């Protein structure tokens, strides 16, 4: 099963320069063999971080701008030692329990 955008959302106009992120594919078991890396799936926001010079934009998978919601991530992308970059990833918040 492939995760896809709903028909109503897929008709929205995307921002200029927006590139759709990779969509995961649900399978019975992960692929095996050399060349495959796996990670634990955490729920969060799928983000595209785009850097062009000092300009940074964080987009959700539907094209909403999240710069104001996640300013520390926007700043981290801005501080990358690159003139331009496009990062496709997941923003996750971990809540640590106190041991007191």
């Amino acid at each position: 099963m492939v995760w896809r955008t709903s028909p109503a959302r897929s008709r929205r106009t995307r921002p200029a320069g927006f590139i759709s992120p990779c969509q995961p594919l649900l399978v019975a078991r992960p692929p095996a063999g050399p060349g495959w890396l796996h990670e634990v799936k955490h729920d969060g926001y799928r983000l595209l971080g785009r850097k062009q010079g000092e300009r940074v934009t964080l987009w959700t998978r539907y094209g909403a701008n999240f710069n104001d919601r996640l300013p520390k991530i926007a700043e981290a992308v801005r501080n990358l030692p690159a003139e331009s970059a496009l990062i496709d990833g997941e923003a996750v918040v971990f809540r640590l329990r106190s041991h007191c």
Side-chain angles (χ1 to χ4, degrees):
M1 166 178 17
V2 176
W3 298 353
R4 298 174 193 244
T5 60
S6 67
R9 289 185 179 189
S10 64
R11 285 185 233 137
R12 272 190 199 161
T13 301
R14 303 290 198 256
F18 180 81
I19 297 172
S20 295
C22 297
Q23 295 295 312
L25 178 66
L26 182 62
V27 295
R29 62 178 74 136
W36 285 99
L37 298 174
H38 303 284
E39 63 185 39
V40 174
K41 169 66 174 108
H42 297 285
D43 277 337
Y45 288 105
R46 187 61 176 261
L47 290 179
L48 291 169
R50 183 175 185 176
K51 178 182 180 182
Q52 293 176 301
E54 289 297 309
R55 185 176 178 190
V56 169
T57 307
L58 299 180
W59 286 308
T60 66
R61 65 182 176 162
Y62 299 116
N65 186 313
F66 263 38
N67 283 38
D68 291 341
R69 290 186 183 194
L70 302 168
K72 289 185 179 183
I73 294 176
E75 187 62 28
V77 172
R78 185 174 290 106
N79 289 329
L80 289 172
E83 183 62 27
S84 64
L86 182 63
I87 301 168
D88 180 355
E90 189 89 4
V92 180
V93 175
F94 293 98
R95 297 180 196 266
L96 300 177
R97 291 187 177 146
S98 175
H99 296 286
C100 297

